[in-house]
Amino acid sequence: MQVEQNISLRQFNSFGIDVTARRFAAFQTEAELQELLHASAQDQRLVLGGGSNILFTKDVDGWILKNEIKGIELIKEDDAFVYVRAGAGVNWHAFVLYCIERNWAGVENLSLIPGNVGASPMQNIGAYGVEIKEVMEELEAYHMHDEAKIIFSNKDCAFGYRESVFKRTYRNQFVILNVTYKLRKQPVFNISYGAIREELEAMGIKELSIKAVSNAVIKIRSSKLPDPKFIGNAGSFFKNPTVSKQRYDALKAQYPLLVGYANTDGTVKLAAGWLIEQCGWKGYRKGDAGCHAKQALVLVNYGTAKGIDVLELSEAIVKSVEEKFGVELEREVNLY
Ligand code: EPU
């Protein structure tokens, strides 16, 4: 294992923010992780996966430990399901494609989400009507301080909308080592999301398959979301805010085009992208920080923006949405 000093993190975060880490090392096994945890015991440390959900606003005066635990393994199967374990450092989309090739269903709606397997339970990734909590069986995580390996069941993760126990109660305490998914041998398609149905139709698909659903999702994402290889971003910068039905009705009366989706508990999730667009931010750019022209929920770095530039822009957006609609936006992206 090589420990590097004072290196730029630009290529290690999808926002492409150019900050420096005092120490940087990658681990591929649990043993290597243990070794690094000992070496860095006196310092501040941050475990990084694909770096696709973080905004760096300052240099890291400590260690970046990059999770590169690889490997995909079929560990068990029965008539209906396969149980597949993937290392936290496996690229998420590569994992999705691996499953599709073998006809294992359940993650096709989550195609092309940037980042690695380890982040999937961390923030309960979701898109087009599916969330990881629907397919995650269990995971193994390593407690950095107690030096113990713990198994978390699906229930233990306390999943919520872009939430898990690892984002709150256990923030910065565990390193996710691997994740086991329970996938179906016979697909149960979820094409409830209008855009998927429309795309499948436009593609002329007569017979549904998980490959076709994946291709439709890839098309939709590519048309709306900027590719971090070319324009720095971390997907949705904010969560879609939840309001009471009463509040929704009042807003809808005032803004008939307001977009909202009913939650099962009677509350309503508002489309933050719509709220932000209505405040005039879509396509806005100041220096190299901007609000994406095709999806206002995505903030972007056109090249040399600093984390603080993006953060300031996000704060101005929160303020204007609050002023216009009385709705508070919450960040989805982690801040460092
Ligand atoms: N909308 C606008 N203007 C915009 C953006 C969106 O009016 O600039 C409207 C759209 O017309 C649509 C509604 O808002 O009626 C929802 O838009 P979209 O389908 O693009 O989804 P989203 O709610 O903005 C969420 C997730 C995405 C996920 C998509 C698809 C969150 C925070 N974001 O976005 O996840 O891909 O749904 O399921 O829940 C991510 O988490 O990083 C992410 C990209």
Side-chain angles (χ1 to χ4, degrees):
M1 259 178 317
Q2 207 183 330
V3 179
E4 295 180 77
Q5 307 214 23
N6 301 321
I7 76 154
S8 165
L9 294 181
R10 187 176 191 136
Q11 57 167 312
F12 299 109
N13 71 98
S14 63
F15 250 123
I17 303 291
D18 193 7
V19 289
T20 301
R22 192 158 58 77
R23 299 255 194 288
F24 180 100
F27 57 94
Q28 295 187 342
T29 62
E30 193 183 323
E32 288 185 351
L33 168 64
Q34 284 168 341
E35 209 179 300
L36 285 175
L37 288 176
H38 291 160
S40 63
Q42 305 305 322
D43 284 318
Q44 207 195 93
R45 37 200 190 185
L46 177 71
V47 179
L48 199 61
S52 59
N53 203 40
I54 188 162
L55 177 66
F56 284 104
T57 57
K58 55 179 188 276
D59 289 335
V60 178
D61 182 25
W63 293 66
I64 290 284
L65 307 181
K66 183 152 163 41
N67 192 338
E68 289 186 350
I69 298 177
K70 295 284 186 336
I72 303 178
E73 200 187 345
L74 172 63
I75 53 169
K76 172 167 98 167
E77 64 184 302
D78 53 33
D79 287 349
F81 296 100
V82 290
Y83 296 79
V84 188
R85 182 189 288 153
V90 172
N91 172 267
W92 173 257
H93 185 58
F95 173 71
V96 170
L97 293 179
Y98 184 97
C99 295
I100 289 171
E101 266 168 36
R102 285 156 185 80
N103 238 349
W104 297 337
V107 286
E108 57 280 1
N109 291 46
L110 304 175
S111 297
L112 212 63
I113 295 183
N116 292 349
V117 161
S120 66
M122 186 79 77
Q123 52 173 359
N124 185 21
I125 58 170
Y128 307 103
V130 174
E131 285 182 339
I132 211 66
K133 72 170 183 198
E134 291 158 49
V135 291
M136 198 210 84
E137 179 70 4
E138 63 175 35
L139 63 82
E140 285 188 314
Y142 195 82
H143 195 279
M144 293 203 272
H145 193 258
D146 297 350
E147 301 198 8
K149 188 156 74 176
I150 312 244
I151 294 178
F152 286 79
S153 69
N154 185 305
K155 199 158 159 271
D156 295 336
C157 294
F159 289 126
Y161 168 52
R162 295 295 190 279
E163 283 294 344
S164 78
V165 80
F166 302 104
K167 255 185 125 172
R168 301 259 165 197
T169 327
Y170 297 141
R171 194 178 181 84
N172 296 334
Q173 291 185 33
F174 282 96
V175 179
I176 294 178
L177 301 170
N178 58 66
V179 184
T180 301
Y181 303 92
K182 181 181 177 182
L183 302 172
R184 290 180 186 276
K185 290 184 170 177
Q186 290 299 324
V188 174
F189 298 108
N190 182 338
I191 53 164
S192 54
Y193 214 86
I196 295 195
R197 281 198 307 274
E198 286 159 25
E199 192 60 56
L200 286 165
E201 217 163 282
M203 287 160 65
I205 299 293
K206 297 275 173 316
E207 209 175 310
L208 268 186
S209 65
I210 56 175
K211 183 78 190 153
V213 172
S214 169
N215 284 340
V217 168
I218 289 172
K219 276 205 157 178
I220 302 165
R221 290 191 75 98
S222 315
S223 71
K224 286 210 264 191
L225 300 168
D227 182 342
K229 268 194 229 116
F230 306 107
I231 301 179
N233 76 93
S236 302
F237 195 88
F238 303 102
K239 291 182 183 182
N240 284 327
T242 289
V243 296
S244 67
K245 174 81 169 69
Q246 211 179 4
R247 182 100 191 82
Y248 170 75
D249 288 342
L251 280 169
K252 187 82 178 168
Q254 205 180 343
Y255 303 99
L257 296 178
L258 178 78
V259 186
Y261 312 93
N263 289 320
T264 45
D265 64 0
T267 58
V268 181
K269 204 184 267 179
L270 301 178
W274 187 87
L275 299 173
I276 296 169
E277 181 175 353
Q278 296 307 305
C279 291
W281 292 105
K282 198 171 183 172
Y284 174 89
R285 176 172 179 171
K286 183 180 175 194
D288 270 353
C291 179
H292 189 50
K294 295 183 192 153
Q295 225 301 5
L297 196 46
V298 178
L299 301 190
V300 295
N301 168 17
Y302 287 104
T304 59
K306 301 243 176 286
I308 201 77
D309 301 332
V310 178
L311 182 64
E312 275 173 15
L313 170 59
S314 79
E315 284 166 349
I317 290 173
V318 171
K319 191 159 173 268
S320 70
V321 168
E322 167 86 50
E323 278 167 9
K324 189 170 168 78
F325 298 103
V327 173
E328 199 182 333
L329 293 181
E330 190 191 335
R331 231 182 359 250
E332 198 217 290
V333 167
N334 295 312
L335 210 63
Y336 181 89

